[in-house]
Amino acid sequence: MIYPLGDFHFPDSAPRLYPQTPDRPWVLEIGFGDGRFWPHYAATFETAPNYLGVELSGVSLLKAQRRLKNAGLDNAILTKLPADVLLREVVPHGGLDAVVVNFPDPWPKAGHLDHRLLRVPFFQLAASRLKPGGAVLLTTDHDEYFDFACQAARDSGVMNVELTEAPPAALETKYALKWRDLGLSPQHARFTPTAHPVVPHGDIHPYPEDPDLVPHAILTLPADFAPAAPGQPFEKRTARAGGWTVILLDLYASLRRDGWVALAHVVEGELTQEVLIGITAREDGSHLVRLAKFGGPIITLGVKAAVGAVTDWLEESGGRVTHRGY
């Protein structure tokens, strides 16, 4: 099952995500590629654990879905999301039995080390999300990154490092087969928590069912309001503050209702979303500015700021704001 981010709770729980198998172990695989690892690894258990896979590539997502479906693994959820965002916001404290990382991007160029996944903050976060006895399993062909990750685990103060043989399933992935054909073998480490620190979840939420809780504003626009001169493109606007960046990219006439739809690009650390914000006429002559449900956006400070950015632009254009709900 491919799970849109907006369908998650924050945090979520295994019983809700896997109602048919709520008591099985729960494994997260970060960067599952084309999905070759999990069918092999799940077969080593008497009953397949509940599986949560996260990946950034849409093509990989579709390939993995077909592979897991063909393997009959119906208690598997795949989603497209930055791994640390999912681990921090979706997984509850002490929720996982294992985190699997096979052949992560080593970001080998100078100055790119901050892009690596397996740094001190990741290990501290993983330790908070693992159950007692759980582990992070790393397999990689990149010797320097392997040493880097092992040292980061030690520096985190919450992980024990054990160098072991890679599980056979990790040697069936696309990259493992590539390196095996070249006569090279990967390295493997098992990181087990020595402590389970409390790492809080952020202030993010799925799109609410109650329309009054959706970020919105109400304002009155001038009678002669026009978003742009005929034939002129929308002028992009950028707002930044408090760890978020909002770029209003474009404005479109609404096809269904009297008004417009603004497209906003929202960046908050590792999380990037593109959201639609409707500007629609109401019966009393005012206009409603509200985050659209399209795409299953999650409500973050940056998404609220995007609604605010559209409202501010309309206010600068002569609108009179009577209510702000963001």
Side-chain angles (χ1 to χ4, degrees), residues 185-249:
S185 58
Q187 298 194 69
H188 181 78
R190 179 183 178 90
F191 307 105
T192 53
T194 57
H196 297 271
V198 176
V199 178
H201 300 85
D203 183 22
I204 72 174
H205 310 280
Y207 194 94
E209 295 182 6
D210 185 345
D212 292 333
L213 299 179
V214 180
H216 67 283
I218 299 172
L219 74 166
T220 302
L221 294 173
D224 60 351
F225 172 78
Q232 295 297 314
F234 177 77
E235 184 176 346
K236 293 181 182 180
R237 296 169 60 91
T238 301
R240 293 185 179 91
W244 51 258
T245 298
V246 172
I247 305 173
L248 299 185
L249 294 173

Side-chain angles (χ1 to χ4, degrees), residues 37-109:
F37 170 79
W38 188 244
H40 289 283
Y41 195 62
T44 65
F45 295 83
E46 183 176 347
T47 55
N50 293 322
Y51 174 80
L52 177 61
V54 63
E55 176 62 77
L56 290 177
S57 167
V59 173
S60 294
L61 198 72
L62 294 175
K63 289 182 178 179
Q65 183 196 31
R66 287 195 294 266
R67 195 180 298 275
L68 270 58
K69 182 179 180 180
N70 291 338
L73 295 167
D74 56 2
N75 61 330
I77 291 174
L78 307 176
T79 193
K80 183 179 180 182
L81 186 67
D84 41 6
V85 175
L86 180 136
L87 188 59
R88 182 178 63 246
E89 304 299 350
V90 174
V91 178
H93 181 85
L96 293 170
D97 291 84
V99 178
V100 177
V101 186
N102 290 323
F103 301 92
D105 189 337
W107 291 96
K109 294 182 179 179

Side-chain angles (χ1 to χ4, degrees), residues 134-294:
V136 176
L137 307 179
L138 167 65
T139 305
T140 179
D141 58 278
H142 197 281
D143 292 343
E144 188 274 330
Y145 190 16
F146 183 78
D147 294 340
F148 175 94
C150 290
Q151 188 58 51
R154 297 184 185 100
D155 292 343
S156 72
V158 293
M159 284 289 186
N160 179 60
V161 180
E162 179 186 3
L163 306 184
T164 66
E165 293 295 322
L171 305 182
E172 299 295 333
T173 65
K174 180 174 69 174
Y175 286 103
L177 296 174
K178 171 185 174 181
W179 290 106
R180 187 176 68 187
D181 290 343
L182 295 175
L184 303 175
S185 58
Q187 298 194 69
H188 181 78
R190 179 183 178 90
F191 307 105
T192 53
T194 57
H196 297 271
V198 176
V199 178
H201 300 85
D203 183 22
I204 72 174
H205 310 280
Y207 194 94
E209 295 182 6
D210 185 345
D212 292 333
L213 299 179
V214 180
H216 67 283
I218 299 172
L219 74 166
T220 302
L221 294 173
D224 60 351
F225 172 78
Q232 295 297 314
F234 177 77
E235 184 176 346
K236 293 181 182 180
R237 296 169 60 91
T238 301
R240 293 185 179 91
W244 51 258
T245 298
V246 172
I247 305 173
L248 299 185
L249 294 173
D250 215 336
L251 190 73
Y252 309 95
S254 175
L255 297 177
R256 296 182 59 188
R257 303 182 66 178
D258 181 19
W260 304 269
V261 177
L263 173 63
H265 184 78
V266 183
V267 180
E268 298 169 89
E270 311 88 357
L271 179 61
T272 298
Q273 300 187 79
E274 288 195 345
V275 299
L276 296 178
I277 300 164
I279 307 166
T280 57
R282 305 202 316 164
E283 292 183 358
D284 62 3
S286 65
H287 278 76
L288 173 66
V289 180
R290 185 165 68 184
L291 177 70
K293 192 174 184 178
F294 179 80

Side-chain angles (χ1 to χ4, degrees), residues 117-131:
L117 173 70
L118 300 173
R119 297 179 292 119
V120 167
F122 169 83
F123 284 110
Q124 293 171 336
L125 174 59
S128 77
R129 302 300 188 250
L130 285 166
K131 299 175 183 176

